[in-house]
Amino acid sequence: MEDLERIKKETTIFSLVSYLGHGLLMLRGLILASVLGPATYGFWVFYKDLFDLSSSTGLGASQAMSREIPENKAKGTHETITELVQTTLGWNLLVGLLVVLGLTLTSLFAPLTRGLSETFLVCAIFFVSILHNFQRFRFKGEQRLIFFSRYNAIFLITNTLLTISLVFFFSLTGALIGLLLSLLISLAYLKKNGELFRPNLPRFRQGMARSKAGFAQLINGYVCFLCSTSDRFIILSFLGSAVVGLYGLAAFLVAIVSAIPVAISHVLYARTIQTIHTNNTRDSITHFFHAPLRFASALISAMVGFIYLNIDWAVRWLLPDYAEAGAVLQILAFGAFFSALWLITSNISVALKKDIRQLHLSLLMLTATIAGDICVILLGGGVREIALLSVSVICVASTSLMLYTQWLFTHSITHALIFVSGIVSPLIYAGCALWTTSQLAFGDSETQRVLLSNAIWLVACIPLLITMIKAGRGARHNTTEARTE
């Protein structure tokens, strides 16, 4: 029971900080999009994706570290954790330095940036972002997400204030300088608390072995992001930066839907691995899988409905130049349902040492997305068709992964199909309820129709709320049984 309360506390705090971040970054995104315009904002979206990729410079080393930390705790070898963190950080920085050099050379011959000074600024932010993004994997493995939430809150607040302040004076360059300053302030907070470790450079073979151990987790955890990034890169190549701004804004807003499921995944990750290495039985981790999926599926379905009903008019009202983003977001919101469930299910594949099997599915998913995007554009399609394709791919991949992991527990295809049907049923219910809402909502003005549709949807969410309550009670019961055993 005590562990369940700790899980709830960590999930709540992590989720609140995530929503604080999404709120602040949404404000920042809206202001930047308005000040910069679609074309320049497209460059910002591209740079943002590049900075996010800095968390992958270790080629899986950080992911391997986050799994080995709870494994060492389960074995009682706590003394190796500090050395593990330092060598992993050193390897990430070494690989990141090579990436920065390659990015600098590439920018001299390809128009990845708008000038040499901007290239150096982007490279500096990328390198510092390695240190910043590394902390998430470290504190995730150490089960110290409350401290990480405080650290992340400092970054989010300073990031928003500085980028918004400077963009009015120096345009895109000002926004980049603000981002760099916020990263340095956040790392200074770690230094003040004695949490900024000195990196140790490992031997090349040692670093490559760590990358190999976590490479599958890297692809599995980032495949949804990689698919989204590939969408934007192909759109940039074929349709131009202005269209990337539209698609990037929609994809950014969809991240709000996944905040709580991502928090659940992070909070349960280390516990799942530590539990199975302590008890050595698959049944001991089922409560980290069944109840969270049921809770997340009902919660996301409710959130998808509110986004679907409100985002179109909100975007048209706040950013009329980005009117197309509303329709794209309505499509991508359904994809957020499956990408969030993918993250929670990935914990199980890592704990059961099946991440290599999941890697095959991830690569197939990424290949299908890239090939499909190119085909859609060559056939004359636009961002709506690309969004629809992305949702279809993640739907098939996510349900396949849930089927496989559930089969690992029961070895019964029938039981696995019943379980996955139960997980997906809230979204099906939400789709039917949204269609019914659109038929019942009427009024002389758009405001009346929006208010009425939201009121109807609020009533329709009652069964989803009941499902969430039942899932929470199931988690409490299962956690109590696990502690008793």
Side-chain angles (χ1 to χ4, degrees):
M1 189 71 66
E2 181 180 345
D3 189 50
L4 179 61
E5 295 304 319
R6 178 72 179 179
I7 291 174
K8 288 182 178 179
K9 182 179 180 180
E10 290 182 4
T11 304
T12 300
I13 293 176
F14 193 89
S15 300
L16 288 176
V17 172
S18 297
Y19 278 116
L20 169 67
H22 285 307
L24 292 176
L25 295 180
M26 181 187 297
L27 173 65
R28 186 194 70 174
L30 292 173
I31 294 177
L32 292 183
S34 178
V35 173
L36 298 176
T40 306
Y41 184 71
F43 276 98
W44 169 262
V45 171
F46 175 72
Y47 294 154
K48 179 180 176 296
D49 287 343
L50 182 66
F51 302 147
D52 289 339
L53 284 174
S54 66
S55 61
S56 309
T57 53
L59 304 176
S62 297
Q63 286 77 3
M65 177 196 69
S66 66
R67 176 166 62 182
E68 291 174 16
I69 289 176
E71 287 179 355
N72 287 330
K73 287 185 176 180
K75 298 174 183 177
T77 55
H78 298 266
E79 64 279 358
T80 62
I81 293 178
T82 300
E83 180 183 357
L84 175 63
V85 171
Q86 291 178 317
T87 55
T88 305
L89 177 58
W91 176 252
N92 283 5
L93 292 174
L94 178 61
V95 177
L97 181 60
L98 297 177
V99 174
V100 166
L101 293 175
L103 181 63
T104 303
L105 293 175
T106 302
S107 296
L108 296 177
F109 305 99
L112 294 178
T113 61
R114 303 181 306 164
L116 188 60
S117 60
E118 192 170 284
T119 298
F120 289 130
L121 182 57
V122 168
C123 290
I125 296 174
F126 180 87
F127 193 75
V128 178
S129 295
I130 296 174
L131 281 168
H132 170 70
N133 290 318
F134 174 80
Q135 309 307 323
R136 172 165 53 91
F137 297 99
R138 173 197 164 191
F139 292 118
K140 175 183 174 181
E142 294 178 354
Q143 296 184 26
R144 298 175 57 198
L145 291 176
I146 294 180
F147 177 83
F148 173 74
S149 297
R150 291 199 298 268
Y151 162 78
N152 199 32
I154 292 174
F155 167 71
L156 292 169
I157 293 172
T158 56
N159 181 14
T160 303
L161 292 177
L162 291 173
T163 51
I164 290 178
S165 299
L166 295 178
V167 73
F168 288 102
F169 298 98
F170 306 105
S171 188
L172 180 59
T173 301
L176 293 172
I177 293 174
L179 175 56
L180 178 60
L181 292 175
S182 65
L183 287 168
L184 295 176
I185 292 172
S186 304
L187 294 175
Y189 172 77
L190 286 183
K191 178 67 175 178
K192 180 182 178 181
N193 287 273
E195 296 290 348
L196 190 60
F197 283 4
R198 175 181 59 84
N200 291 335
L201 292 179
R203 295 179 179 178
F204 181 78
R205 289 185 178 180
Q206 183 183 5
M208 288 301 297
R210 191 164 302 283
S211 295
K212 181 180 179 181
F215 183 75
Q217 293 182 63
L218 168 68
I219 301 300
N220 296 336
Y222 283 93
V223 67
C224 296
F225 170 76
L226 291 173
C227 288
S228 177
T229 303
S230 66
D231 285 341
R232 290 195 280 271
F233 179 77
I234 292 173
I235 291 173
L236 176 65
S237 302
F238 286 89
L239 302 179
S241 61
V243 185
V244 175
L246 297 174
Y247 195 87
L249 179 62
F252 166 74
L253 295 176
V254 164
I256 298 174
V257 179
S258 304
I260 292 180
V262 167
I264 294 173
S265 176
H266 279 66
V267 170
L268 296 182
Y269 177 82
R271 287 178 170 85
T272 306
I273 296 173
Q274 191 168 339
T275 298
I276 197 169
H277 277 81
T278 302
N279 299 335
N280 295 318
T281 58
R282 289 182 177 179
D283 292 340
S284 63
I285 61 172
T286 53
H287 61 289
F288 293 127
F289 178 59
H290 292 169
L293 277 177
R294 292 191 179 97
F295 177 86
S297 65
L299 173 66
I300 302 174
S301 297
M303 296 177 68
V304 165
F306 283 111
I307 290 178
Y308 185 89
L309 292 173
N310 296 288
I311 197 60
D312 187 42
W313 67 264
V315 171
R316 284 189 283 106
W317 180 59
L318 294 172
L319 292 170
D321 292 339
Y322 294 78
E324 288 186 39
V328 175
L329 178 60
Q330 288 178 324
I331 299 173
L332 292 178
F334 289 92
F337 174 90
F338 295 102
S339 61
L341 299 187
W342 171 278
L343 291 174
I344 296 176
T345 311
S346 295
N347 286 350
I348 304 301
S349 66
V350 172
L352 298 179
K353 303 286 188 180
K354 301 297 183 181
D355 42 322
I356 299 297
R357 295 283 181 88
Q358 185 181 350
L359 175 62
H360 299 155
L361 180 60
S362 297
L363 294 176
L364 180 62
M365 175 180 168
L366 184 59
T367 302
T369 299
I370 296 174
D373 287 347
I374 295 175
C375 291
V376 166
I377 292 178
L378 293 178
L379 292 174
V383 288
R384 294 190 186 185
E385 289 74 18
I386 290 177
L388 186 60
L389 173 69
S390 298
V391 172
S392 301
V393 171
I394 185 58
C395 171
V396 174
S398 180
T399 52
S400 299
L401 181 61
M402 284 191 290
L403 279 170
Y404 175 65
T405 49
Q406 181 62 16
W407 177 84
L408 291 174
F409 289 115
T410 63
H411 293 287
S412 171
I413 294 296
T414 302
H415 285 87
L417 287 171
I418 294 174
F419 176 80
V420 173
S421 299
I423 298 300
V424 179
S425 59
L427 185 65
I428 298 175
Y429 166 80
C432 296
L434 286 172
W435 181 84
T436 304
T437 300
S438 65
Q439 300 301 311
L440 296 177
F442 57 89
D444 298 329
S445 65
E446 184 181 41
T447 301
Q448 291 178 345
R449 291 192 295 271
V450 168
L451 292 175
L452 180 58
S453 62
N454 278 274
I456 296 173
W457 177 248
L458 189 62
V459 175
C461 285
I462 293 178
L464 299 176
L465 177 62
I466 295 174
T467 301
M468 285 187 281
I469 294 174
K470 288 183 177 179
R473 290 175 178 174
R476 179 182 297 273
H477 175 72
N478 292 331
T479 303
T480 303
E481 285 189 346
R483 289 179 60 86
T484 302
E485 294 175 0

